Amino acid sequence: MNIYVKLAYTFLGLMIVLNWGMLMGATMRKIGARVAGRHGIPFKQPWIDLFKNIGVRTTITHGIMYYIGPVFRLTGGVGLFLFMPAVFSGSPYGIWTNFSFEGDLILILYFQVFGMLGMALGAGEGGHPYAAMGIARGLAQHAAVELPLTLAFLSIAIQYDTFSVYKIVEAQQGGFQNWVLFTNPFAAAAVILAMLGALGHSPFNLVKAPNEILIGPATEYEGSYLGFMQSAGAIIHVMEAMLFMNLVFGGATNWFELILKTFLIYFWSVFVGIVFPRFKIEQSVTWFFKVPLLLGVLAILMYSF
Amino acid sequence: MSELDLNDKVSEMLAKSEANVIKSEKTFIHPEDEVREVVAPDGSIIKINPIYDYFSGERPQEEKPRGGIVEKFLNWARSESIWVLGFGTGCGSIEIPPLVTPRFDMFRFGIQMRPTPRQSNAFIISGYLSVKTLKRVIRTYEQMPAPKYVIALGSCTINGGMYYDSYSTINRLDKYIPVDVYIAGCMPRPEALIAGFVKLKELIKEGKAEKANEYARNFDEYKANQKKIIKDWSMPDYNW
């Protein structure tokens, strides 16, 4: 396929993912509101917030890294989309496999952290003490989440003998009994538990806890920087859900399936978040080091002997 | 650029920014905020000015609206997405929490609470305002990005209310910061607060909520009023 056509399709896919991420975020907030007995925000609220933020007239600056932080975060989200197959079409050169290549799982693991580190640098330059506190908590929790998650990913990679997300999706085709959820239950369980931390909802949302430490790393961000971060957040949420969908839940063969599966995966973290109150950071870190880590180690041991 | 040149440039910029701000005769500076010289780890002597080192000393500028259909669209977006700073100044702040409960539910109207001034565009002054709090209110108001709106809740912000002869509270809020919407009463119920928000939305949509520009235009007047009443003025003249 012509590279320009491919780029155009990838850009279109990115736009779909961005808008789906915003709609999904609004839907989840609406669900939370309904549980509390409220009507909640209108579905169009994320778009209005985005336009409002772009229309802010005065902005401040704290230096170059302060500008680059949100760009890093958006790069992390877009990078995840670029190098991960979105819709499985039976051919590695299909329209929606994007720029997926052999060994993209390693790159995706890297991109997961990339946005967060960029934000840490940007918010660090903002100089606000609450931002620094949010970063410290965010990185501590992320380290605890990454350990079981990486062990589970490695187990899946050993199981299928490949680091290509496309091949892992391909191996799971032909019915739900072929999903990693059933062929490698320990890895799937580790992913399902660790995913709660990766998606960052309650009980694992102390990083941006509005009542305890303001809004976390984004304390000093305003206007279009905040708009940037909002769009990046919407993309990253879909991307995280898409990564777990590809690795554990059999991938998607069309956009409808992708939207349904990402919705259910994201809903799982919102469901847990509505039921359970927020953890303190030491509680959440120790929680990830117990059952999810044990499951991750078991998943590795299962395929090591 | 060598380190010395950089030092010169910084002190030059510092002098420039100091020249831009109005000097008041009665300015009070805390001892720890005074300009002083310190010895850096490498032995060089540097001049530090704790108040201005962390803030921009520049005066606020008027930001003209773009005009036309773009501004109309942005005004619509601004009116449908009002982010309120969670800062309770007086007894009226007890009327704000009910707004997030199922009975009143302000999220329906696109009104949300934000915990930081950098991300908010509406500031509720809830009831009486003591001189001590006024200082914090000014700092916070100036940190908010334009366009920004102020809602004055309760009679105390209009004429002092029941605290009209108090030694420690101010009587008229709009002498110190520009106010967009007044909500009269002691205390107004949450419904009144929502009605105030609806009024503010109308003003924004009509393009009449440009008080941030008014503050920039009449900056000297507002600063003079503020300095008249705040005795321990130990902060920059403009708190970006």
Side-chain angles (χ1 to χ4, degrees), chain B residues 27-30 32-33 51 87 89 123 125 129-143 168 170 173 176-177 215 223 226-227 229-237 239:
Chain B
T27 306
F28 169 82
I29 304 277
H30 285 300
E32 68 268 21
D33 289 344
I51 290 183
F87 181 9
T89 56
F123 197 175
I125 306 296
L129 194 57
S130 69
V131 178
K132 205 172 173 180
T133 319
L134 175 66
K135 190 174 159 183
R136 276 79 190 171
V137 164
I138 292 163
R139 293 197 87 148
T140 316
Y141 177 73
E142 288 176 351
Q143 282 181 30
S168 64
I170 58 159
L173 177 63
Y176 309 101
I177 52 172
Y215 188 71
K223 278 293 147 191
Q226 291 164 3
K227 287 192 173 175
I229 195 152
I230 298 174
K231 301 291 180 238
D232 60 338
W233 188 277
S234 187
M235 59 179 183
D237 276 347
N239 308 273

Short mmCIF file of all heavy atoms in Angstrom, two decimals, chain B residues 27-30 32-33 51 87 89 123 125 129-143 168 170 173 176-177 215 223 226-227 229-237 239:
data_model
loop_
_atom_site.label_atom_id
_atom_site.label_comp_id
_atom_site.label_asym_id
_atom_site.label_seq_id
_atom_site.Cartn_x
_atom_site.Cartn_y
_atom_site.Cartn_z
N THR B 27 4.47 50.29 51.48
CA THR B 27 4.69 48.86 51.25
C THR B 27 5.43 48.23 52.43
O THR B 27 6.44 48.74 52.88
CB THR B 27 5.52 48.66 49.98
OG1 THR B 27 4.87 49.33 48.94
CG2 THR B 27 5.62 47.19 49.65
N PHE B 28 4.89 47.11 52.88
CA PHE B 28 5.52 46.38 53.96
C PHE B 28 6.06 45.07 53.40
O PHE B 28 5.37 44.37 52.68
CB PHE B 28 4.51 46.09 55.07
CG PHE B 28 5.00 45.12 56.10
CD1 PHE B 28 5.81 45.56 57.13
CD2 PHE B 28 4.67 43.78 56.03
CE1 PHE B 28 6.27 44.67 58.07
CE2 PHE B 28 5.13 42.89 56.97
CZ PHE B 28 5.93 43.34 58.00
N ILE B 29 7.31 44.78 53.70
CA ILE B 29 7.92 43.54 53.20
C ILE B 29 8.37 42.72 54.41
O ILE B 29 9.04 43.24 55.30
CB ILE B 29 9.14 43.84 52.31
CG1 ILE B 29 8.77 44.76 51.15
CG2 ILE B 29 9.77 42.57 51.81
CD1 ILE B 29 8.18 44.09 49.96
N HIS B 30 8.01 41.45 54.41
CA HIS B 30 8.49 40.57 55.47
C HIS B 30 10.01 40.48 55.39
O HIS B 30 10.57 40.46 54.28
CB HIS B 30 7.90 39.17 55.29
CG HIS B 30 6.47 39.08 55.69
ND1 HIS B 30 6.04 39.37 56.96
CD2 HIS B 30 5.37 38.75 54.98
CE1 HIS B 30 4.72 39.22 57.01
NE2 HIS B 30 4.29 38.86 55.82
N GLU B 32 12.05 38.06 55.57
CA GLU B 32 12.59 36.97 54.75
C GLU B 32 12.36 37.20 53.26
O GLU B 32 12.93 36.51 52.42
CB GLU B 32 11.99 35.62 55.19
CG GLU B 32 10.52 35.43 54.91
CD GLU B 32 9.64 35.86 56.07
OE1 GLU B 32 10.13 36.66 56.90
OE2 GLU B 32 8.47 35.42 56.14
N ASP B 33 11.51 38.19 52.92
CA ASP B 33 11.25 38.47 51.51
C ASP B 33 12.08 39.64 50.98
O ASP B 33 11.92 40.05 49.83
CB ASP B 33 9.75 38.80 51.31
CG ASP B 33 8.88 37.57 51.47
OD1 ASP B 33 9.45 36.47 51.42
OD2 ASP B 33 7.67 37.71 51.66
N ILE B 51 10.57 37.88 46.28
CA ILE B 51 9.22 38.10 45.78
C ILE B 51 9.19 38.03 44.25
O ILE B 51 8.31 37.41 43.66
CB ILE B 51 8.67 39.45 46.28
CG1 ILE B 51 8.40 39.35 47.78
CG2 ILE B 51 7.39 39.82 45.55
CD1 ILE B 51 7.80 40.57 48.39
N PHE B 87 -12.62 27.46 46.55
CA PHE B 87 -11.97 28.27 47.57
C PHE B 87 -13.08 28.96 48.36
O PHE B 87 -13.68 29.92 47.90
CB PHE B 87 -11.06 29.31 46.88
CG PHE B 87 -10.30 30.21 47.80
CD1 PHE B 87 -10.27 30.01 49.17
CD2 PHE B 87 -9.58 31.29 47.31
CE1 PHE B 87 -9.56 30.84 50.00
CE2 PHE B 87 -8.86 32.13 48.13
CZ PHE B 87 -8.87 31.90 49.49
N THR B 89 -14.43 31.38 51.03
CA THR B 89 -13.85 32.52 51.76
C THR B 89 -14.67 32.86 53.00
O THR B 89 -14.14 33.41 53.95
CB THR B 89 -13.80 33.75 50.85
OG1 THR B 89 -15.11 34.01 50.37
CG2 THR B 89 -12.89 33.51 49.68
N PHE B 123 -14.63 32.34 39.93
CA PHE B 123 -14.20 32.44 41.32
C PHE B 123 -15.43 32.88 42.13
O PHE B 123 -16.00 33.93 41.85
CB PHE B 123 -13.09 33.49 41.40
CG PHE B 123 -12.27 33.44 42.67
CD1 PHE B 123 -11.17 34.27 42.83
CD2 PHE B 123 -12.58 32.56 43.67
CE1 PHE B 123 -10.41 34.23 43.98
CE2 PHE B 123 -11.82 32.51 44.83
CZ PHE B 123 -10.73 33.35 44.98
N ILE B 125 -16.76 34.31 45.44
CA ILE B 125 -16.44 34.90 46.74
C ILE B 125 -17.66 34.67 47.61
O ILE B 125 -18.69 35.30 47.43
CB ILE B 125 -16.15 36.42 46.61
CG1 ILE B 125 -15.09 36.67 45.56
CG2 ILE B 125 -15.76 37.00 47.94
CD1 ILE B 125 -13.75 36.11 45.88
N LEU B 129 -15.66 38.82 53.46
CA LEU B 129 -14.27 38.64 53.07
C LEU B 129 -13.41 39.42 54.04
O LEU B 129 -13.47 40.65 54.09
CB LEU B 129 -14.08 39.16 51.64
CG LEU B 129 -12.82 38.77 50.92
CD1 LEU B 129 -12.69 37.27 50.85
CD2 LEU B 129 -12.84 39.33 49.51
N SER B 130 -12.63 38.72 54.85
CA SER B 130 -11.76 39.43 55.80
C SER B 130 -10.56 39.97 55.04
O SER B 130 -10.22 39.50 53.95
CB SER B 130 -11.31 38.50 56.91
OG SER B 130 -10.43 37.54 56.39
N VAL B 131 -9.91 40.98 55.60
CA VAL B 131 -8.77 41.62 54.93
C VAL B 131 -7.66 40.60 54.70
O VAL B 131 -7.00 40.59 53.67
CB VAL B 131 -8.27 42.81 55.76
CG1 VAL B 131 -7.06 43.44 55.11
CG2 VAL B 131 -9.36 43.83 55.92
N LYS B 132 -7.52 39.70 55.68
CA LYS B 132 -6.48 38.66 55.57
C LYS B 132 -6.77 37.76 54.36
O LYS B 132 -5.87 37.38 53.61
CB LYS B 132 -6.50 37.84 56.85
CG LYS B 132 -5.21 37.17 57.17
CD LYS B 132 -5.33 36.56 58.56
CE LYS B 132 -4.13 35.72 58.88
NZ LYS B 132 -4.25 35.13 60.23
N THR B 133 -8.04 37.40 54.19
CA THR B 133 -8.40 36.53 53.06
C THR B 133 -8.34 37.30 51.74
O THR B 133 -8.02 36.72 50.71
CB THR B 133 -9.82 35.95 53.25
OG1 THR B 133 -9.98 35.58 54.59
CG2 THR B 133 -10.05 34.76 52.37
N LEU B 134 -8.64 38.60 51.79
CA LEU B 134 -8.61 39.42 50.56
C LEU B 134 -7.25 39.30 49.87
O LEU B 134 -7.17 39.20 48.64
CB LEU B 134 -8.91 40.88 50.89
CG LEU B 134 -8.80 41.85 49.72
CD1 LEU B 134 -9.88 41.57 48.69
CD2 LEU B 134 -8.91 43.29 50.19
N LYS B 135 -6.20 39.29 50.69
CA LYS B 135 -4.84 39.18 50.13
C LYS B 135 -4.70 37.88 49.33
O LYS B 135 -4.18 37.88 48.22
CB LYS B 135 -3.84 39.22 51.28
CG LYS B 135 -2.42 39.37 50.87
CD LYS B 135 -1.56 39.54 52.11
CE LYS B 135 -0.15 39.18 51.81
NZ LYS B 135 0.69 39.27 53.01
N ARG B 136 -5.20 36.80 49.90
CA ARG B 136 -5.12 35.49 49.22
C ARG B 136 -6.02 35.49 47.99
O ARG B 136 -5.69 34.87 46.97
CB ARG B 136 -5.54 34.37 50.17
CG ARG B 136 -4.44 33.86 51.06
CD ARG B 136 -4.21 34.76 52.22
NE ARG B 136 -3.02 34.44 52.99
CZ ARG B 136 -2.54 35.22 53.95
NH1 ARG B 136 -3.12 36.37 54.24
NH2 ARG B 136 -1.47 34.87 54.60
N VAL B 137 -7.17 36.17 48.11
CA VAL B 137 -8.10 36.22 46.98
C VAL B 137 -7.45 36.94 45.80
O VAL B 137 -7.55 36.49 44.65
CB VAL B 137 -9.42 36.91 47.40
CG1 VAL B 137 -10.22 37.33 46.19
CG2 VAL B 137 -10.23 35.99 48.27
N ILE B 138 -6.74 38.04 46.09
CA ILE B 138 -6.09 38.79 45.01
C ILE B 138 -5.03 37.94 44.33
O ILE B 138 -4.95 37.85 43.11
CB ILE B 138 -5.48 40.09 45.57
CG1 ILE B 138 -6.59 41.03 46.02
CG2 ILE B 138 -4.60 40.77 44.54
CD1 ILE B 138 -6.13 42.11 46.93
N ARG B 139 -4.21 37.27 45.16
CA ARG B 139 -3.17 36.40 44.58
C ARG B 139 -3.80 35.34 43.69
O ARG B 139 -3.32 35.06 42.60
CB ARG B 139 -2.39 35.68 45.70
CG ARG B 139 -1.56 36.60 46.55
CD ARG B 139 -0.56 35.80 47.32
NE ARG B 139 0.64 35.62 46.50
CZ ARG B 139 1.85 35.53 47.01
NH1 ARG B 139 2.04 35.58 48.30
NH2 ARG B 139 2.89 35.37 46.22
N THR B 140 -4.88 34.74 44.19
CA THR B 140 -5.51 33.65 43.44
C THR B 140 -6.16 34.18 42.17
O THR B 140 -6.02 33.58 41.10
CB THR B 140 -6.56 32.96 44.33
OG1 THR B 140 -6.00 32.78 45.62
CG2 THR B 140 -6.95 31.64 43.78
N TYR B 141 -6.86 35.30 42.30
CA TYR B 141 -7.55 35.87 41.14
C TYR B 141 -6.56 36.16 40.02
O TYR B 141 -6.81 35.89 38.85
CB TYR B 141 -8.29 37.14 41.55
CG TYR B 141 -8.98 37.83 40.40
CD1 TYR B 141 -10.14 37.29 39.85
CD2 TYR B 141 -8.48 39.00 39.86
CE1 TYR B 141 -10.77 37.90 38.80
CE2 TYR B 141 -9.11 39.62 38.80
CZ TYR B 141 -10.26 39.07 38.26
OH TYR B 141 -10.87 39.67 37.21
N GLU B 142 -5.40 36.72 40.41
CA GLU B 142 -4.44 37.09 39.38
C GLU B 142 -3.76 35.88 38.75
O GLU B 142 -3.24 35.96 37.65
CB GLU B 142 -3.40 38.04 39.98
CG GLU B 142 -4.02 39.41 40.25
CD GLU B 142 -3.09 40.39 40.92
OE1 GLU B 142 -2.00 39.98 41.34
OE2 GLU B 142 -3.47 41.56 41.01
N GLN B 143 -3.78 34.75 39.46
CA GLN B 143 -3.18 33.54 38.87
C GLN B 143 -4.10 32.85 37.88
O GLN B 143 -3.67 32.00 37.11
CB GLN B 143 -2.82 32.54 39.98
CG GLN B 143 -1.54 32.92 40.71
CD GLN B 143 -1.19 31.94 41.78
OE1 GLN B 143 -1.50 30.77 41.69
NE2 GLN B 143 -0.53 32.42 42.82
N SER B 168 -12.51 44.02 60.58
CA SER B 168 -11.62 43.11 59.85
C SER B 168 -12.16 42.67 58.50
O SER B 168 -11.51 41.88 57.81
CB SER B 168 -11.33 41.87 60.70
OG SER B 168 -12.54 41.18 60.89
N ILE B 170 -14.08 43.56 54.57
CA ILE B 170 -14.30 44.63 53.59
C ILE B 170 -15.79 44.75 53.32
O ILE B 170 -16.53 43.78 53.49
CB ILE B 170 -13.53 44.38 52.28
CG1 ILE B 170 -13.96 43.04 51.68
CG2 ILE B 170 -12.06 44.42 52.52
CD1 ILE B 170 -13.69 42.93 50.25
N LEU B 173 -16.94 44.52 47.57
CA LEU B 173 -15.93 43.67 46.90
C LEU B 173 -15.42 44.31 45.62
O LEU B 173 -14.24 44.23 45.32
CB LEU B 173 -16.54 42.29 46.62
CG LEU B 173 -15.66 41.32 45.87
CD1 LEU B 173 -14.41 41.00 46.67
CD2 LEU B 173 -16.41 40.04 45.55
N TYR B 176 -12.07 46.05 44.94
CA TYR B 176 -10.79 45.35 44.98
C TYR B 176 -10.60 44.41 43.79
O TYR B 176 -9.50 44.30 43.27
CB TYR B 176 -10.67 44.59 46.30
CG TYR B 176 -10.96 45.49 47.47
CD1 TYR B 176 -12.18 45.48 48.12
CD2 TYR B 176 -10.01 46.42 47.87
CE1 TYR B 176 -12.44 46.35 49.16
CE2 TYR B 176 -10.28 47.30 48.91
CZ TYR B 176 -11.50 47.26 49.54
OH TYR B 176 -11.76 48.14 50.55
N ILE B 177 -11.65 43.71 43.42
CA ILE B 177 -11.60 42.92 42.17
C ILE B 177 -12.92 43.12 41.43
O ILE B 177 -13.96 43.30 42.07
CB ILE B 177 -11.32 41.40 42.39
CG1 ILE B 177 -12.28 40.82 43.42
CG2 ILE B 177 -9.90 41.14 42.78
CD1 ILE B 177 -12.18 39.31 43.54
N TYR B 215 -10.07 44.78 34.67
CA TYR B 215 -9.07 44.76 35.74
C TYR B 215 -7.72 45.25 35.20
O TYR B 215 -7.03 46.02 35.86
CB TYR B 215 -8.95 43.34 36.28
CG TYR B 215 -8.09 43.21 37.51
CD1 TYR B 215 -8.51 43.69 38.73
CD2 TYR B 215 -6.84 42.59 37.44
CE1 TYR B 215 -7.73 43.57 39.86
CE2 TYR B 215 -6.05 42.45 38.57
CZ TYR B 215 -6.50 42.95 39.78
OH TYR B 215 -5.72 42.82 40.89
N LYS B 223 -5.16 48.45 42.35
CA LYS B 223 -3.99 48.23 43.23
C LYS B 223 -3.98 49.25 44.36
O LYS B 223 -3.66 48.92 45.50
CB LYS B 223 -2.70 48.34 42.42
CG LYS B 223 -2.32 47.09 41.69
CD LYS B 223 -1.96 45.97 42.63
CE LYS B 223 -2.39 44.67 41.97
NZ LYS B 223 -2.35 43.51 42.80
N GLN B 226 -6.49 48.20 46.87
CA GLN B 226 -6.04 47.02 47.62
C GLN B 226 -4.98 47.40 48.65
O GLN B 226 -5.01 46.94 49.79
CB GLN B 226 -5.47 45.99 46.64
CG GLN B 226 -6.51 45.35 45.75
CD GLN B 226 -5.90 44.63 44.56
OE1 GLN B 226 -4.68 44.57 44.43
NE2 GLN B 226 -6.74 44.11 43.68
N LYS B 227 -4.05 48.25 48.23
CA LYS B 227 -2.95 48.59 49.13
C LYS B 227 -3.40 49.47 50.28
O LYS B 227 -2.76 49.51 51.33
CB LYS B 227 -1.83 49.27 48.35
CG LYS B 227 -1.08 48.30 47.48
CD LYS B 227 0.17 48.88 46.94
CE LYS B 227 0.95 47.80 46.23
NZ LYS B 227 2.13 48.33 45.58
N ILE B 229 -5.97 49.00 52.00
CA ILE B 229 -6.58 48.23 53.10
C ILE B 229 -5.68 47.09 53.59
O ILE B 229 -5.76 46.69 54.75
CB ILE B 229 -7.97 47.71 52.67
CG1 ILE B 229 -8.76 47.24 53.88
CG2 ILE B 229 -7.89 46.62 51.64
CD1 ILE B 229 -10.23 47.34 53.73
N ILE B 230 -4.81 46.58 52.71
CA ILE B 230 -3.93 45.47 53.14
C ILE B 230 -2.65 46.08 53.70
O ILE B 230 -1.86 46.68 52.97
CB ILE B 230 -3.62 44.52 51.97
CG1 ILE B 230 -4.92 43.90 51.48
CG2 ILE B 230 -2.66 43.45 52.41
CD1 ILE B 230 -4.76 43.05 50.25
N LYS B 231 -2.44 45.92 55.01
CA LYS B 231 -1.28 46.57 55.64
C LYS B 231 0.01 45.78 55.42
O LYS B 231 1.07 46.34 55.24
CB LYS B 231 -1.53 46.73 57.14
CG LYS B 231 -2.76 47.54 57.48
CD LYS B 231 -2.58 49.01 57.12
CE LYS B 231 -3.82 49.81 57.46
NZ LYS B 231 -4.38 50.50 56.29
N ASP B 232 -0.07 44.44 55.50
CA ASP B 232 1.16 43.65 55.36
C ASP B 232 1.33 43.18 53.91
O ASP B 232 1.36 42.01 53.62
CB ASP B 232 1.16 42.46 56.32
CG ASP B 232 -0.01 41.53 56.08
OD1 ASP B 232 -1.00 41.98 55.49
OD2 ASP B 232 0.09 40.36 56.45
N TRP B 233 1.46 44.13 53.02
CA TRP B 233 1.60 43.83 51.59
C TRP B 233 2.98 43.25 51.35
O TRP B 233 3.92 43.96 51.07
CB TRP B 233 1.41 45.10 50.77
CG TRP B 233 1.36 44.83 49.32
CD1 TRP B 233 2.43 44.69 48.49
CD2 TRP B 233 0.20 44.67 48.51
NE1 TRP B 233 2.01 44.43 47.22
CE2 TRP B 233 0.65 44.41 47.20
CE3 TRP B 233 -1.17 44.70 48.76
CZ2 TRP B 233 -0.24 44.20 46.15
CZ3 TRP B 233 -2.03 44.49 47.72
CH2 TRP B 233 -1.57 44.25 46.42
N SER B 234 3.12 41.96 51.44
CA SER B 234 4.43 41.36 51.23
C SER B 234 4.34 40.40 50.06
O SER B 234 4.54 39.21 50.19
CB SER B 234 4.87 40.64 52.50
OG SER B 234 6.19 40.21 52.35
N MET B 235 3.99 40.93 48.92
CA MET B 235 3.87 40.09 47.73
C MET B 235 4.11 40.94 46.50
O MET B 235 4.10 42.17 46.59
CB MET B 235 2.48 39.44 47.69
CG MET B 235 1.32 40.40 47.67
SD MET B 235 -0.22 39.47 47.61
CE MET B 235 -1.41 40.76 47.49
N PRO B 236 4.35 40.32 45.37
CA PRO B 236 4.57 41.13 44.16
C PRO B 236 3.30 41.89 43.79
O PRO B 236 2.21 41.52 44.22
CB PRO B 236 4.90 40.11 43.08
CG PRO B 236 4.84 38.79 43.69
CD PRO B 236 4.43 38.89 45.08
N ASP B 237 3.45 42.96 42.99
CA ASP B 237 2.27 43.73 42.62
C ASP B 237 1.40 42.98 41.64
O ASP B 237 0.22 43.24 41.52
CB ASP B 237 2.70 45.07 42.02
CG ASP B 237 2.96 46.05 43.14
OD1 ASP B 237 2.57 45.75 44.27
OD2 ASP B 237 3.56 47.11 42.88
N ASN B 239 0.68 38.98 40.65
CA ASN B 239 1.02 37.58 40.99
C ASN B 239 0.71 36.64 39.84
O ASN B 239 -0.26 35.91 39.90
CB ASN B 239 0.22 37.13 42.20
CG ASN B 239 0.34 38.07 43.35
OD1 ASN B 239 1.25 37.95 44.15
ND2 ASN B 239 -0.56 39.02 43.44
#
